[in-house]
Amino acid sequence: FTKAVLFLPRPRNSALDKPNKTVGQLPEQPGHHTQLAGQREDALQAANEATEIRRKLAEARPGAFLPDLARSLSNLDNSLSEMVRSEEALEAANEATRIISPFFLSWPGHFTRNTSIYLRGNLPCAEACGQEPNAALVAPITARLNSLRSSE
């Protein structure tokens, strides 16, 4: 019964659609579901709003909220890529990768999954812009990922 409830659609204008500014938890799903429905402008607007709120939170408490900002930037990159706004998508992807890099390099066990996702988003953005990926940005991450894989 519990699993069935998890898959039921959420009513519009539910509490999940509103930012919870006290703890910095913002829903990523509304924009994601909107994008899946083909309403890319609405998805982009939701991604922009989440990014701006998380940016303000990260300015106030970087250690607590920078990883969340990186996640929002990755979602923004995805929305921009869907709209073939390649230069802006690359900018968001690079910023997400730049933000998550020190967290991943310090605590790879906790940040490997998201860092891999951001890196996989970064490479196609660079290709779409006719550029090589920023080697200074991705090389340390790639080296650490390879090191982690070889030690498994």
Side-chain angles (χ1 to χ4, degrees), residues 100-113 115-116 119 135-152:
I100 205 66
S101 180
F103 289 91
F104 166 69
L105 295 173
S106 296
W107 302 285
H110 186 70
F111 291 100
T112 297
R113 181 176 175 272
T115 302
S116 297
L119 193 58
L137 181 60
V138 301
I141 295 170
T142 304
R144 188 63 173 270
L145 285 170
N146 290 337
S147 168
L148 291 170
R149 286 185 190 122
S150 67
S151 67
E152 291 179 347

Side-chain angles (χ1 to χ4, degrees), residues 62-151:
F65 294 109
L66 278 172
D68 292 333
L69 175 58
R71 185 176 63 238
S72 290
L73 285 161
S74 178
N75 290 335
L76 179 60
D77 147 35
N78 292 335
S79 290
L80 290 164
S81 293
E82 285 290 318
M83 297 179 71
V84 194
R85 292 170 57 177
S86 302
E87 295 287 331
E88 294 167 276
L90 179 59
E91 188 177 313
N94 280 337
E95 187 177 358
T97 304
R98 192 171 17 264
I99 288 170
I100 205 66
S101 180
F103 289 91
F104 166 69
L105 295 173
S106 296
W107 302 285
H110 186 70
F111 291 100
T112 297
R113 181 176 175 272
N114 284 352
T115 302
S116 297
I117 291 168
Y118 305 159
L119 193 58
R120 281 194 304 268
N122 191 295
L123 302 177
C125 287
E127 288 176 2
C129 292
Q131 300 178 18
E132 291 292 321
N134 180 335
L137 181 60
V138 301
I141 295 170
T142 304
R144 188 63 173 270
L145 285 170
N146 290 337
S147 168
L148 291 170
R149 286 185 190 122
S150 67
S151 67

Side-chain angles (χ1 to χ4, degrees), residues 1-7:
F1 178 71
T2 304
K3 286 185 180 181
V5 172
L6 293 176
F7 293 106

